[in-house]
Amino acid sequence: MATAYRSGWHFIDLATAIPHSGDSLMVTVFGEPVVVTRDEDDDVRAYRCLRRPRGAPQPVRCAIRYGMIFVNLDQRDHRLVEPEAPDVRTISATPRSA
């Protein structure tokens, strides 16, 4: 049942919980530990902590709306979708009467 609610944006905390650069916050979302940090440029970033021995933290989509921090754990939303190349066809511009 938890997998049904896993997709989408989830409220973590208020942005005032990490006011300064270098501050971090550790939360658990659906049994997965997530670290939310504020970097030197005052951007808020979130990372999923993998439980594997040599697993590097995996970036998670993070957004601040109305002073609240939201994260999205759904992997389908993390894929980069490349725009489709337009179908280019050569059309002759020579009139028939020429």
Side-chain angles (χ1 to χ4, degrees):
M1 187 74 174
T3 57
Y5 296 106
R6 192 181 171 118
S7 63
W9 293 93
H10 302 286
F11 171 73
I12 297 298
D13 204 343
L14 297 176
T16 57
I18 50 174
H20 307 290
S21 62
D23 290 348
S24 64
L25 178 67
M26 178 88 167
V27 294
T28 303
V29 181
F30 293 110
E32 294 190 25
V34 175
V35 176
V36 181
T37 64
R38 186 177 293 268
D39 62 5
E40 294 84 21
D41 299 330
D42 281 339
D43 292 332
V44 175
R45 302 195 187 278
Y47 300 94
R48 176 184 290 152
C49 298
L50 301 178
R51 295 186 180 126
R52 289 178 275 174
R54 285 185 241 158
Q58 187 178 37
V60 176
R61 290 186 65 187
C62 180
I64 296 181
R65 297 287 182 259
Y66 307 109
M68 297 180 284
I69 302 170
F70 294 91
V71 296
N72 189 344
L73 296 178
D74 194 3
Q75 290 297 320
R76 293 173 295 179
D77 293 338
H78 296 276
R79 290 182 297 192
L80 295 176
V81 178
E82 295 184 22
E84 295 180 12
D87 188 19
V88 179
R89 294 182 183 162
T90 306
I91 300 174
S92 176
T94 307
R96 292 184 182 195
S97 61

